[in-house]
Amino acid sequence: MSPSSSKKKKTILEIEGYPIDGLSIGGHETCVIFPSLKMAFDIGRCPQKAISQDFLFISHGHMDHIGGLPMYVATRGLYKMKPPTIFIPNSIKDSVEKLLAVHREMDQSELKNNLIGLDAGEEFHLRKDIKVKAFKTYHGVPSLGYIVYSNKQKLKLEYLGLSGSEIKALKLSGVEITNTVTAPEIAFTGDTMSDFIVDPNNADVLKARVLVMESTFVDNAMSIEDARDYGHTHLFEIANYAAKFENKAILLMHFSARYKISDVQAAISKLPSILSGRVSALTQGFL
């Protein structure tokens, strides 16, 4: 194994069966990648590893989350990849279209993409077994989070004891033998105050197998009130709401650049025991 490939492996987390890559430093750059699903959440400055993701979900219009969008689209075109599908808050769709139009004029290229604006509560079926739903977040500018759901076919209870040949016969006769079971797999908050946690419409966010959420501040140097003034969540609030999180795993991101990895890890170690073993941190780019 070459040194470069070894280094690359160390940057990839695996949580609940999902490889997760990317980086998120508050005010600098956020891009969280689920390569097995070909998805990226926010684009930051467009890290190279994000270009191969077919689906991009933009949470809001701040530059550290959307700045690399034209480069992402342009580079996929350069590599002759299929146009990406990009989800954005519907409230900024016109602005994003204007942004891409300016780059088309300057770059003299097509910048092909499928741009989809969503409002909170709206769903979009990516394929038969996956759908995405936008949910309300609470930041200083229009923003959204996203939930990725799995759709699986499961045999109805009344047919569980039948043999394979009996099940096949029923299916061939036109009997509906399965139910569609939908489950929240991944939730991504983008930047938001903790209000999203107590929003009754966001129950599935707290039930997703993997929740990727911001925790910009983690210690007493900044108070909860300070965090709220900036439209962000403090780790102390996550501790206060610990009992509400039903997620199998929580990946914290968007830490302030003031912190070191050791600061973040020390703060996480002090979380209530109900969260023990479920919380990890995306710390690539920190010292």
Side-chain angles (χ1 to χ4, degrees):
M1 180 182 295
S2 68
S4 60
S5 62
S6 176
K7 184 177 180 181
K8 183 176 181 181
K9 280 185 175 294
K10 291 179 182 178
T11 68
I12 299 179
L13 303 171
E14 184 162 327
I15 300 176
E16 287 295 311
Y18 289 106
I20 305 174
D21 205 345
L23 71 164
S24 181
I25 302 172
H28 290 246
E29 180 173 14
T30 290
C31 181
V32 181
I33 300 166
F34 284 75
S36 63
L37 297 175
K38 306 296 287 184
M39 295 179 181
F41 294 88
D42 286 337
I43 193 60
R45 302 175 187 176
C46 188
Q48 183 71 22
K49 62 193 76 173
I51 292 166
S52 59
Q53 313 312 313
D54 295 336
F55 303 100
L56 173 62
F57 301 86
I58 297 293
S59 63
H60 66 289
H62 280 155
M63 285 298 101
D64 54 321
H65 295 258
I66 200 174
L69 180 61
M71 181 62 76
Y72 165 73
V73 178
T75 307
R76 285 184 64 92
L78 178 67
Y79 293 162
K80 308 296 189 220
M81 303 172 79
K82 69 179 181 181
T85 300
I86 304 165
F87 297 89
I88 57 173
N90 201 39
S91 56
I92 65 170
K93 186 178 180 184
D94 287 348
S95 296
V96 172
E97 287 176 337
K98 291 174 184 176
L99 171 70
L100 291 172
V102 167
H103 281 278
R104 285 190 185 96
E105 181 180 353
M106 291 191 299
D107 195 54
Q108 295 294 297
S109 61
E110 294 184 89
L111 297 184
K112 292 182 179 179
N113 68 89
N114 181 24
L115 189 65
I116 298 171
L118 292 179
D119 293 312
E122 280 195 279
E123 297 181 353
F124 188 93
H125 289 263
L126 294 181
R127 60 191 198 209
K128 187 176 181 181
D129 62 334
I130 293 180
K131 72 175 182 178
V132 176
K133 179 181 178 180
F135 68 90
K136 184 176 180 178
T137 54
Y138 298 79
H139 196 38
V141 297
S143 61
L144 287 178
Y146 299 94
I147 308 173
V148 179
Y149 292 86
S150 64
N151 295 318
K152 298 179 181 178
Q153 298 299 315
K154 290 198 174 182
L155 192 65
K156 291 181 178 179
L157 291 176
E158 59 264 37
Y159 303 130
L160 286 177
L162 299 182
S163 66
S165 59
E166 289 173 318
I167 290 173
K168 183 178 180 180
L170 283 170
K171 189 174 181 180
L172 290 173
S173 70
V175 174
E176 185 60 58
I177 61 172
T178 60
N179 288 319
T180 300
V181 177
T182 300
E185 288 289 320
I186 297 162
F188 175 85
T189 68
D191 289 3
T192 179
M193 292 186 289
S194 63
D195 300 49
F196 84 93
I197 298 170
V198 295
D199 187 330
N201 294 316
N202 291 347
D204 280 354
V205 178
L206 308 181
K207 295 177 181 177
R209 180 180 293 274
V210 179
L211 169 60
V212 183
M213 68 172 291
E214 77 135 283
S215 179
T216 303
F217 305 112
V218 302
D219 61 19
N220 285 313
M222 296 289 280
S223 68
I224 289 175
E225 291 72 23
D226 292 330
R228 294 187 64 83
D229 286 343
Y230 287 108
H232 292 303
T233 297
H234 199 294
L235 186 68
F236 293 171
E237 296 176 281
I238 296 172
N240 292 341
Y241 289 123
K244 291 186 176 293
F245 295 100
E246 300 177 41
N247 315 92
K248 293 286 187 182
I250 301 171
L251 178 62
L252 301 181
M253 62 166 189
H254 203 266
F255 304 109
S256 168
R258 74 183 62 209
Y259 297 121
K260 296 181 179 180
I261 292 177
S262 57
D263 299 326
V264 172
Q265 291 173 338
I268 288 176
S269 71
K270 298 175 184 176
L271 286 170
S273 59
I274 192 173
L275 294 174
S276 179
R278 290 195 284 151
V279 180
S280 54
L282 183 61
T283 54
Q284 184 178 340
F286 290 84
L287 300 175

